[in-house]
Amino acid sequence: MRTNEGDCRVVVVGAGAGGTLVATHLVTALSSRFRVELVDPAPSTGRGQAYSTTDERHLLNVPASGMSAFPRDPEHFLRWLRNHHDPRFQPHDFAPRAVFGRYVESLLTTATEFPGNARLVRRHAEVADVTRADDRFVVELSDGEQLEARAVVLATGSRPGTGWAPPELAADPRLVADPWTQEIPEVGDVLMLGSGLTMVDLAITADRPDRTIHVVSRTDAVPHPHVLPTTPPVPPPPGITRTQDLDTLRATLAAHVEETVAATGDWRAAVDGLRPVTAQLWRGLSEADKRRFITEDARSWDVHRHRMAPATSRRLDAVATVGRLVRHRGTLAAVRADRSALHVTLDDGTTLRVAAVVNCTGPVGTIAADPLLTRLAQSGLVRPGPAGLGIDTADDGRILGTLPDTLPFLAVGSLRRGNLWESTAMPEIREQAYDVARIVARSLHGEARRRPVDPYGLTLSASQDAAELYNAALGRLLRLQDGVEEGLDAAVAADGGFVQAHAALALLGHEWGATTHWRESLRAAHRAASDRHLDDRESSFLDAVTTRLRADEATGAAALLRHVRLFPRDALAVSVTVSTVAFGGLTSGTQTAQLVESLGRSYGDDWWYAGQLAFVRQDQERWGEAEDLASYALSVEPASGHAVHARAHVHYETGDHDAGLAWLDEWIRTRGPEANHRSHFSWHAALHELMQDDVAAVRRRWARELAPSVVSGSRVVVDSGSLLWRGRVTGAWTDDLPVAEVRAQAPAEWLTAPPTPFAAMHSAVLLAADGDATALTGLEAHARQSDDRVFATSSLPCAPGSSRSSRSGGTPPRRR
């Protein structure tokens, strides 16, 4: 029967951390006319298996700084801890699991306290079935009640299984099948099957002075501890995501770990650096290789990837040191039960007499282990995920089965492990919960279609045609090609309400030196924003661009950098903040290096990021790494201007002028015509010719590629002018130096009141090439009036009387 209530109801199945976070986001995203039903038989909310413990010695295996429930507020959990648990808590400390469970529950409680938010109904019941009824769902509870809903989210997690248990043990009450809901006996030795994090916590709890805890596992592999202070993650090897088979991947990872240990002394940095590419690596394997990995490698991965808190490791070591923890490598061969004990025989013949066998094997990832999933698979609403793990889902969490996309049926957490492999830790769960809640909220507000995304998965609130034009323009920007602004213009012509494209035009127009058009683009962005529901990344970008364009330099730069910290995969924003051939950049030196290196956890071995990192590495004089990164980027995208720029520096700084010139000339010939900074690559080629003392070649290149007749705008100062200066200070080109032609074509304000330190430096170089002491004095006076210290220092080396401005030989200083 059709009711109004179903039109405004969403059901979340599962009240662990994932389901509770989804419900929290939905309650805050929807108005009071909507109802969010959170269904789970557990007496608590927000805990699930992971956080249901009451033992304060059970600690999280991630420091507090990495456990915020909100993707855009990384310090939220730390602030909550200091307010509700311990005011002295530090970012590197490990909080009790029980405390984190209270934290998650408190988020939902707080969300429900606002009267304008959606109503929450917490049902302590099992979901028996979910069926489709036209354009909605019917959720059947175990007590026979039926809930009609517009959307359903599955967050049930995976259940522990005992398929490994011999029949004699499976039927015995002394098998502790689910140790988080069943008690471990107080008296007698115990056997724990499995040696992962579950065993670690339970062994600490079950330890007694007169008890021996036997741990049995196939590999005898126990989770490694964290080491403090932590070593920053090391980016994965270039091209690793293009590995197609398991054997090659193993060899690549082994070499990567070995190199990381040699460089940092810590293998953890290599494993942690794989986080942004783990899902890609998993998806790149064949079905057969996925199953091989599960059988042969998964245990090793788990003990290295999912580590113990240092305090937990010390507690476990203390139990083992006094002989109360005994580890066995093997499996259970047989079990004989009598009234007093369980007599367990291992496959090596060892016999143990224990009061209980505790299941620490972890959750079973197959559909067959869950009655609800089994029923949904029978009706076709779900299907097994890759390698038989969980259920099959799309990238955005939509469940793949017989339902159309218009019906919002989604999953979070371990149910998505088959598609993602890593899908149980809080960094993954919080992103999934937010994204799934956003999809459901949009659907309930009448938005049925999926919004398009950019190349890095960021939402674009625009028509599909406009989004494709935007992505083409973004691709040209990332490759340093012409046509970026024209492409963005086409995008806003296709969709006048495309806020992101309007804001991008405003930002690039401002950074590239336009004086009027960017203002209109910014106004258009704000007009469009008033009529379109943006996601948080688009809103943040518009806010950052507005501050950048309307505030002072320091405030504007800080706003854009904050946006990049919150949304590191916003490649357009990153392009503006990083100092490259394309922009002056908002960072420099070590600040640029730190920013780019921090982005590795978001981009992995992406070709554009590899080009950016290559430039940082050459700036650090790490020539081999820079060349490897640039080569990789160019193997994926031969037009990658950032990689070309980095390689050009490597060739020059290592003195490889013959090979550098030959390679660069070929690239300029084949790819240069599309590059919007082609003159800078010609400038690099001319430097090789200068170092070869081939002045005639320099003059020919000047006429062909660098004269004011073929170079315009700021690049006539940056490239043409600086080449003439180098010709003068090296004595290679002093007669008939065509400086006057360059000055005539230079932007007038650059020579008197340059807009940035980058412009000031190059204007000073041009004036020095002309020997114009008067103009240099005026430029220096203008620079000294700036609050930016870099302004003054950028022009001083060329000021009258400076040793650099008058020297007649030697190699000029390095520059970008």
Side-chain angles (χ1 to χ4, degrees), residues 162 165-175 335 337 342:
T162 55
E168 300 87 351
L169 178 62
D172 196 291
R174 287 167 292 190
L175 170 62
V335 176
L342 294 170

Side-chain angles (χ1 to χ4, degrees), residues 320-372:
T321 299
V322 296
R324 294 200 296 268
L325 182 76
V326 179
R327 288 158 54 180
H328 308 267
R329 182 169 184 165
T331 60
L332 271 63
V335 176
R336 179 175 61 82
D338 60 30
R339 295 182 61 183
S340 61
L342 294 170
H343 302 270
V344 180
T345 302
L346 306 183
D347 58 357
D348 64 357
T350 301
T351 300
L352 305 172
R353 182 180 187 278
V354 295
V357 173
V358 184
N359 180 21
C360 300
T361 59
V364 176
T366 62
I367 285 177
D370 188 308
L372 173 60

